[in-house]
Amino acid sequence: MRSSKFWCPGAISVGALLAALGCLPPVAFAAAQEAPPVTADVLVRLVDIGTMSASESTPLLSLSPDGRYIAFQVRQADPVANRYTFRMVIKAIDAAADPIVVDVGGEYLFWTIPSWGYARNAPSGANLTIQPRWSPSGTHLAYLRQDQGRVRVWRAGIKGEGATPVIEETYDIEDVQWLDDTRLVYAGRPGFVEAEADIEREGRQGWVFDGRFHPLTGSRPRVLEPIPVVYQVMDLQAGTRRAATPEEVAKLSEKPDPLRAVVGRTAFSVGRIDPENINAPTTLTAQRRDAEPVRCVEEACQNITRIWGDATGNSLYFLRREGWANNEMALYRMPADGLKPVRIWHSTGLLQGCERQSTHLICAQEAALQPRRLVNLDLTSGQMSPLYDPNPDWVRYRLPKVERLTIKNRNGIEVFSDLVLPPDYKPGTRLPLVIVQYSSRGFLRGGTGDENPILPLATAGFAVLSFHSPRSEASSQRFTSPIAQSKADYTDWRSRWNILHTLEDLIDELDKRGLIDPARVGLTGLSDGATTVHFGLINSDRFAAAVTSSCCTDSFTASVMNGPRLSKALQAYGIETDQADDGPFWRSTSFVVNADRIHTPLLIQSADEEYLGALPGVAALTRAGKPVELIVYPNEHHVKWQPAHRNAVYKRTIDWFRFWLMDQTDPSPEKAAQYARWRDLRALKDRSPSPTPAP
């Protein structure tokens, strides 16, 4: 049947049942006279397309063989039930056609890859983007779906006939592709299951603590490489499977190169001007048949992130970063027989996962105040039109004000960030400032890892600086490997000083403009951003409150919690895991030896798999009488993935900064214990001696 927004499969006629299956429009509310504000509850329930960390080349969409449809997966969090609803959606390129939901269900599938010698890295918490595969005739989709902890291949008809699992193994299937309308080639690693079983059997006699352990993410050995990939072919009609041939394996392994395209008789590619220098500019090269390659010398041919040929063989199109600190994205058209590109579209927002469809690009698009949606970008005119918005009611909210900031920091490096002010901000008012790190491209949701809610913080009365980390000083120098550059960045914590100085420069700029109260500045961070928080609290007196998603940057975390394998590997990158906290390397970052110098109230909202690394630092701060609180979220990873936890993190972050920067509390009875603890911390802070000045 049809609703106003979705057609859902099956014989369903009861509205309540449709809502339970996730087939009704998301984020909806009753009409109101005044536009409602963007709160934590609103933000956590937004419907998402793909993973939170998608780049320009992340495959978010699949274009049908005839170019008439796109297929993609959306998900919506429910913080009350603490679960996600996943939908597989098909949308006609004709913007007037309603989307068709061909499948509803499945579990959150973590993104994991081999790294550091482990067969799978521990889940970061980010989800795997599921890209459906079209059958050659365009009548069915095949895709990965996890249920009850097992990843299988599912098939769905595009007219809403229903979805069913068609391939199941004793191991997780990792990739799938059609060979024809009745045969699928797929890949997985059965050896991983066998290796886990071996570890389980070994545990009956006790495990040897060795390079298989990574204590920061678990208390059992990890499976090590190599675990071979096994390729098989499933005949859906016959119900038989067999080993794949090399040609069939190649069919599965074929992935389009986002930096190569052939237009007519000319092959275009993007590469570094100096292939031996990882920091050399990239540029476009054209090579006609039986001719020497020709390099484009136009500035517009640098920093290209994606290229396409057109259907006629006459033009090349490409996306690139440009502008101050590369803060803009632009689309160019260039004749195949010349190297003179013309810009046809540009924005400070993002285009992601684009697929070329005849004379258009179909892309996921974001802007500072626009959650990810699908758009149709005309390759002739550069005009953009909406194609599918998973959050159609978003336009009804009262949104904060956003200003793109551009400065040159004290080290001469171009920097951009975004200033977000409350919807009702009155010029001349100085506001408390909360800094959210460390990327500010696209929709301003919660910073890297999505834990510090930018728009709800602004709605609560804060000025919010969505901070985009500057390039390091070493990135302008010649290095032949990332390891060599990392050593330079970690020498005397050179890169971290550059980040801290940039933050201080931006604070000074906003103070000079009369926008903020420099005595009420809060700092947040996850992952690398958390390192900046730790470093900033020790080496600066500019921050009146702080929130981190992990802790701490010290010898214990880097050496003991990373285990023998990773601890040794990190030394090659310039991280001195064999030094104690009072050694020259950790002296600038460790709470253990700097607790007396810290005056900033610190809230740590940690995953249960990471909190042990925080204990030495928390113990040192507690002994020194410093205000610190550690919250531990169960069954969590580096990035919080559970909707209830994300909502709790959002709200506790807002409460923390309201308490310390505004002297405000939430009168809700369920928060009474929280504020009782925090008042004790405030009394502790008032009694503690003045901090030792930063050197």
Side-chain angles (χ1 to χ4, degrees):
M1 69 176 285
R2 284 186 179 271
S3 72
S4 61
K5 294 294 181 183
F6 290 107
W7 175 29
C8 294
I12 304 173
S13 58
V14 182
L17 181 56
L18 283 174
L21 289 175
C23 294
L24 290 180
V27 193
F29 45 80
Q33 291 183 346
E34 182 179 345
V38 179
T39 63
D41 289 313
V42 170
L43 201 61
V44 79
R45 286 180 168 86
L46 286 178
V47 182
D48 293 302
I49 302 170
T51 183
M52 69 175 69
S53 55
S55 67
E56 290 94 319
S57 57
T58 300
L60 301 176
L61 319 169
S62 288
L63 188 66
S64 65
D66 61 7
R68 296 172 55 201
Y69 300 92
I70 51 170
F72 51 95
Q73 187 185 66
V74 299
R75 75 183 187 280
Q76 184 177 22
D78 180 345
V80 176
N82 198 28
R83 66 178 180 87
Y84 292 89
T85 297
F86 294 89
R87 308 180 188 96
M88 189 62 67
V89 181
I90 293 176
K91 175 71 176 69
I93 302 301
D94 174 10
D98 286 347
I100 302 171
V101 178
V102 298
D103 184 22
V104 180
E107 298 169 345
Y108 193 96
L109 183 54
F110 293 110
W111 174 75
T112 60
I113 58 171
S115 64
W116 302 103
Y118 299 116
R120 283 181 186 162
N121 63 344
S124 67
N127 65 299
L128 178 70
T129 294
I130 303 299
Q131 185 185 31
R133 312 291 191 184
W134 287 90
S135 63
S137 64
T139 59
H140 289 83
L141 299 176
Y143 50 92
L144 303 182
R145 173 173 149 173
Q146 178 173 286
D147 295 271
Q148 297 179 326
R150 177 61 50 79
V151 182
R152 300 180 288 181
V153 175
W154 283 62
R155 180 180 63 175
I158 71 165
K159 295 181 179 180
E161 306 97 308
T164 56
V166 292
I167 304 177
E168 180 174 4
E169 295 285 0
T170 58
Y171 52 89
D172 287 340
I173 298 173
E174 299 177 2
D175 202 0
V176 64
Q177 184 57 277
W178 295 90
L179 295 174
D180 54 41
D181 276 351
T182 61
R183 295 181 304 148
L184 290 162
V185 57
Y186 61 97
R189 291 183 288 171
F192 190 89
V193 177
E194 297 164 6
E196 285 282 16
D198 289 341
I199 290 174
E200 191 65 28
R201 284 190 291 270
E202 179 191 347
R204 296 173 185 174
Q205 302 298 318
W207 294 311
V208 175
F209 183 79
D210 54 21
R212 298 173 299 168
F213 278 84
H214 184 231
L216 192 64
T217 56
S219 57
R220 61 179 284 136
R222 305 272 300 283
V223 175
L224 300 181
E225 289 275 55
I227 301 294
V229 178
V230 173
Y231 299 89
Q232 297 201 82
V233 172
M234 179 69 160
D235 188 315
L236 299 178
Q237 282 188 339
T240 59
R241 66 193 75 196
R242 59 171 172 81
T245 67
E247 293 76 18
E248 291 165 339
V249 171
K251 178 77 172 177
L252 180 62
S253 303
E254 288 175 0
K255 299 290 188 293
D257 188 334
L259 297 179
R260 292 183 181 274
V262 176
V263 183
R265 298 188 304 163
T266 305
F268 293 91
S269 62
V270 176
R272 298 200 179 278
I273 295 174
D274 177 1
E276 300 299 318
N277 179 8
I278 64 170
N279 294 321
T282 61
T283 194
L284 184 69
T285 298
Q287 183 167 19
R288 295 178 176 86
R289 295 175 187 172
D290 304 321
E292 291 295 315
V294 179
R295 180 180 294 163
C296 178
V297 297
E298 301 287 334
E299 181 182 355
C301 290
Q302 297 185 7
N303 299 320
I304 294 173
T305 59
R306 190 86 187 270
I307 64 176
W308 301 267
D310 73 353
T312 65
N314 295 322
S315 299
L316 180 80
Y317 299 91
F318 59 82
L319 285 171
R320 71 180 294 259
R321 300 274 191 202
E322 64 183 28
W324 187 273
N326 289 330
N327 83 103
E328 297 183 27
M329 177 175 278
L331 177 66
Y332 283 77
R333 179 178 61 245
M334 188 174 72
D337 57 357
L339 295 175
K340 295 294 183 181
V342 176
R343 190 171 73 178
I344 58 176
W345 174 90
H346 73 107
S347 170
T348 56
L350 278 181
L351 292 181
Q352 301 162 309
C354 297
E355 297 286 342
R356 187 184 64 78
Q357 186 265 347
S358 185
T359 59
H360 294 77
L361 285 182
I362 309 301
C363 304
Q365 178 257 345
E366 300 178 26
L369 295 175
Q370 173 61 60
R372 190 177 297 165
R373 61 178 180 171
L374 301 185
V375 297
N376 194 328
L377 183 58
D378 190 303
L379 291 172
T380 301
S381 66
Q383 291 188 336
M384 178 183 292
S385 57
L387 180 60
Y388 169 77
D389 191 342
N391 301 287
D393 286 325
W394 179 253
V395 296
R396 298 171 62 184
Y397 287 99
R398 185 161 51 98
L399 300 176
K401 304 169 184 177
V402 177
E403 176 189 347
R404 173 58 53 96
L405 303 175
T406 56
I407 69 166
K408 186 171 285 189
N409 73 7
R410 68 187 71 176
N411 299 319
I413 296 172
E414 292 183 354
V415 176
F416 78 90
S417 292
D418 288 297
L419 175 65
V420 186
L421 296 173
D424 55 356
Y425 174 73
K426 296 179 180 178
T429 305
R430 286 185 176 268
L431 300 176
L433 175 70
V434 175
I435 300 170
V436 177
Q437 302 183 75
Y438 51 93
S439 176
S440 196
R441 298 191 190 275
F443 180 52
L444 301 182
R445 187 166 185 163
T448 300
D450 186 22
E451 293 204 7
N452 301 288
I454 294 171
L455 303 185
L457 278 163
T459 297
F462 295 96
V464 183
L465 179 66
S466 178
F467 175 70
H468 193 89
S469 284
R471 63 176 178 84
S472 72
E473 293 176 279
S475 68
S476 63
Q477 302 170 8
R478 190 179 193 278
F479 290 99
T480 58
S481 72
I483 291 178
Q485 180 174 323
S486 177
K487 285 183 177 180
D489 284 331
Y490 276 106
T491 299
D492 298 324
W493 294 90
R494 180 181 173 190
S495 177
R496 201 60 52 186
W497 277 112
N498 182 51
I499 293 171
L500 179 58
H501 289 158
T502 303
L503 286 171
E504 293 178 336
D505 292 345
L506 284 163
I507 292 170
D508 290 342
E509 175 67 19
L510 297 177
D511 179 26
K512 188 186 307 180
R513 291 175 55 185
L515 295 170
I516 66 162
D517 178 353
R520 295 186 292 160
V521 177
L523 182 61
T524 72
L526 177 143
S527 194
D528 188 77
T531 300
T532 297
V533 173
H534 309 149
F535 191 84
L537 299 195
I538 293 170
N539 295 286
S540 175
D541 59 1
R542 308 294 291 274
F543 308 111
V547 176
T548 68
S549 302
S550 59
C551 192
C552 299
T553 308
D554 54 27
S555 175
F556 178 78
T557 301
S559 58
V560 176
M561 294 305 296
N562 272 319
R565 172 181 293 270
L566 190 51
S567 175
K568 183 177 181 180
L570 290 175
Q571 292 182 22
Y573 288 81
I575 301 173
E576 303 294 345
T577 57
D578 58 348
Q579 283 192 20
D581 286 288
D582 58 357
F585 184 78
W586 298 108
R587 196 175 296 143
S588 297
T589 67
S590 172
F591 288 166
V592 172
V593 294
N594 287 289
D596 289 339
R597 286 172 45 185
I598 293 172
H599 67 284
T600 306
L602 174 62
L603 171 64
I604 305 166
Q605 305 200 77
S606 177
D608 56 345
E609 73 174 12
E610 293 186 339
Y611 87 98
L612 291 175
L615 297 186
V618 170
L621 292 171
T622 302
R623 285 194 300 269
K626 306 298 181 175
V628 58
E629 178 162 282
L630 172 61
I631 304 295
V632 181
Y633 293 88
N635 190 26
E636 279 294 359
H637 302 295
H638 192 57
V639 174
K640 313 295 189 301
W641 69 277
Q642 296 181 58
H645 292 163
R646 188 177 299 275
N647 202 31
V649 168
Y650 279 173
K651 292 179 177 180
R652 186 173 280 113
T653 296
I654 296 171
D655 287 347
W656 182 261
F657 286 123
R658 288 184 67 215
F659 182 82
W660 292 102
L661 303 183
M662 291 179 167
D663 196 22
Q664 295 179 1
T665 58
D666 185 335
S668 302
E670 63 268 21
K671 293 185 178 181
Q674 167 181 279
Y675 288 112
R677 296 193 310 271
W678 293 357
R679 290 187 184 96
D680 289 343
L681 293 180
R682 175 172 284 166
L684 193 66
K685 182 178 186 298
D686 292 342
R687 291 197 303 269
S688 65
S690 299
T692 304

